[in-house]
Amino acid sequence: METASSRVELIIKGNLPEVPSQYIQPPEARPNLHHTGDAASIPTVDLSTSDSAREAIGDACRNWGAFHVINHGVPIHLLDRMRSLGLSFFRDSPMEEKLRYACDSSSAASEGYGSRMLLGTKDDVVLDWRDYFDHHTFPLSRRNPSRWPIHPPDYRQVVGQYGDEMKKLAQMLLGVISESLGLPCSSIEEAVGEIYQNITVSYYPPCPQPELTLGLQSHSDMGAITLLIQDDVGGLQLYKDDQWLTVPPLSDAILVLVADQTEIITNGIYKSAQHRAVTNANRARLSVATFHDPSKTARIAPVSQLSPPSYKEVVYGQYVSSWYSKAPEGKRNLDALLC
C-alpha cells in the first residue's frame, strides 16, 4: 500500500518552497508555461444532429484524436455532482479516512486512493504532481462500492450512476466512430469486446514550481475511448502539430479522447490523442476521466475491412503491462506495434 507520506497533498501542507527532486521532470519534458498554444479550435460536436455529428466526429478523430461533445444525454447535474463529490473527498476528508481506501502501489491500475501511476523503483520514475481515486465500475462483477468513500452519503450512488451514463455514451460514440469510417456501427465495439470501465478522479494540488513538474506526463490512453470532464481551472494539454495546446474547460461538455486500441482497430486512420496535464502555483485542479478498455485477454488488431494492416496484433494485457512498466513517453508503446 502507498503511505500518507507519498501523497502530494501532504507535501503542499508542508509549505515547501521547492518541489522534491522525484517530481522534477527532465529538461526536455518540462512545460513551457509561457509559450503554449490554445486548443480553442478543438472541435465541439452537437450529438443532437446525427448526420452532421458523424461527419464532424470523423474529421475530429482524423485530425485531433479528441473533441468535445454537447447535447450528449448525460444529465448536467450528474456531471456537476461528480465533480463536487471528487473535490469533497480530496479537500474535506481527513487523511486517516482517505488511507482506508489506499490502493496497492505495486499493482497497475489498482482501485482506490493513490498517487503513483507507474510501476518501477522510486529512483527510476519521475512522479506526477497528482493524487487520484480510481473506481472499477464495469463489468458489474468488478463493481464493489464498499471500496469507495462513504462520505458524502451519496458518493457511491452517484459514481454508479455516472459510470452507467458514461458507458452508454461511450458505446454510442464507438458506433458513430465506426460509421464515420463506413463500417458497421458495431465494428469497433465488437473488436474491443466486453468493456472494462474505470473512473479516475484526479486532484492536482497547487505546485510551488509548476515550470519543473507535470500533473500527468505526456501519454495517450491505453484503451478504446476516454470521456473526461474537468473543472474551471484548466491544465489539460493536447499535442498537435508539434506543439502543446491548452484545452479550455467547457462545464457542460464532455471531452472525448480517442485511445490507442481504437487507433489500432482503425488501422491508424484515426489517431489516439497525446496529452498531458500541467500544474499551477495558485489553484488546485480536478478532473474525472472515465476509461473504456478491452479485457486483458482481448486480441486487438486492425479490422479486416481496413487492410493491409499497419499494426501488429497485440494482447491487450501485454500492452497494459508494457505501458505501466516502461512508461508511456508519448506514444512509444503504440509506435512499437507499427508493421
Side-chain angles (χ1 to χ4, degrees):
M1 297 290 181
E2 292 188 64
T3 62
S5 62
S6 66
R7 299 295 186 259
V8 176
E9 62 177 298
L10 284 185
I11 297 174
I12 287 298
K13 289 180 180 177
N15 293 318
L16 294 178
E18 300 178 347
V19 300
S21 60
Q22 64 266 36
Y23 293 92
I24 297 177
Q25 293 288 330
E28 66 275 10
R30 295 174 191 169
N32 186 337
L33 300 176
H34 304 292
H35 295 89
T36 58
D38 187 356
S41 57
I42 182 173
T44 296
V45 180
D46 185 345
L47 294 182
S48 67
T49 56
S50 57
D51 289 340
S52 59
R54 186 183 307 114
E55 181 178 353
I57 286 173
D59 288 343
C61 290
R62 185 177 286 105
N63 297 314
W64 285 85
F67 52 96
H68 283 116
V69 290
I70 58 174
N71 293 319
H72 40 65
V74 182
I76 302 302
H77 69 81
L78 185 58
L79 304 184
D80 292 339
R81 188 58 183 155
M82 189 66 218
R83 277 186 286 250
S84 65
L85 287 174
L87 198 58
S88 175
F89 173 78
F90 285 103
R91 286 191 173 172
D92 302 334
S93 297
M95 181 56 66
E96 181 181 2
E97 173 74 10
K98 291 174 183 169
L99 290 176
R100 287 180 53 195
Y101 306 103
C103 65
D104 180 1
S105 61
S106 66
S107 176
S110 64
E111 187 169 30
Y113 170 56
S115 294
R116 184 183 179 87
M117 179 174 66
L118 298 174
L119 304 178
T121 65
K122 289 187 177 181
D123 296 330
D124 63 7
V125 174
V126 179
L127 300 180
D128 296 323
W129 194 261
R130 175 186 78 133
D131 297 324
Y132 64 84
F133 200 109
D134 193 30
H135 314 74
H136 294 176
T137 40
F138 276 101
L140 289 176
S141 59
R142 299 169 72 231
R143 186 183 293 191
N144 184 353
S146 68
R147 296 174 179 163
W148 308 342
I150 199 168
H151 300 293
D154 61 340
Y155 189 107
R156 296 173 176 180
Q157 176 188 1
V158 169
V159 170
Q161 292 175 344
Y162 188 82
D164 294 345
E165 292 289 340
M166 288 290 135
K167 185 186 179 190
K168 287 190 291 186
L169 178 59
Q171 290 172 311
M172 185 269 280
L173 288 167
L174 290 176
V176 176
I177 292 170
S178 295
E179 291 177 335
S180 71
L181 283 168
L183 299 171
C185 176
S186 60
S187 293
I188 295 178
E189 189 173 351
E190 287 178 355
V192 170
E194 184 174 27
I195 286 179
Y196 280 63
Q197 183 194 72
N198 285 14
I199 300 173
T200 302
V201 180
S202 294
Y203 183 72
Y204 305 90
C207 179
Q209 294 177 296
E211 71 280 0
L212 299 181
T213 62
L214 287 171
L216 199 56
Q217 64 184 272
S218 171
H219 69 288
S220 54
D221 293 338
M222 295 173 284
I225 192 169
T226 303
L227 305 178
L228 183 138
I229 60 173
Q230 52 179 331
D231 62 14
D232 63 347
V233 175
L236 178 67
Q237 295 186 332
L238 291 176
Y239 191 68
K240 178 174 167 56
D241 299 330
D242 299 321
Q243 64 175 326
W244 287 102
L245 305 174
T246 300
V247 179
L250 298 178
S251 62
D252 293 349
I254 296 170
L255 181 68
V256 181
L257 297 169
V258 175
D260 290 349
Q261 305 315 301
T262 294
E263 178 169 332
I264 294 171
I265 292 166
T266 64
N267 207 29
I269 297 173
Y270 291 166
K271 302 295 186 183
S272 59
Q274 185 174 342
H275 55 286
R276 70 183 184 184
V278 297
T279 63
N280 73 81
N282 301 313
R283 295 182 66 190
R285 173 176 174 262
L286 183 114
S287 68
V288 184
T290 307
F291 304 96
H292 300 87
D293 304 342
S295 76
K296 296 289 182 64
T297 58
R299 292 182 174 273
I300 305 296
V303 294
S304 58
Q305 297 97 318
L306 302 177
S307 58
S310 298
Y311 296 86
K312 304 167 193 169
E313 181 182 80
V314 65
V315 176
Y316 183 62
Q318 295 174 359
Y319 189 86
V320 171
S321 296
S322 174
W323 198 99
Y324 278 109
S325 60
K326 296 180 181 178
E329 291 188 11
K331 296 175 67 171
R332 72 170 180 176
N333 293 296
L334 183 60
D335 292 342
L337 296 176
L338 288 166
C339 294

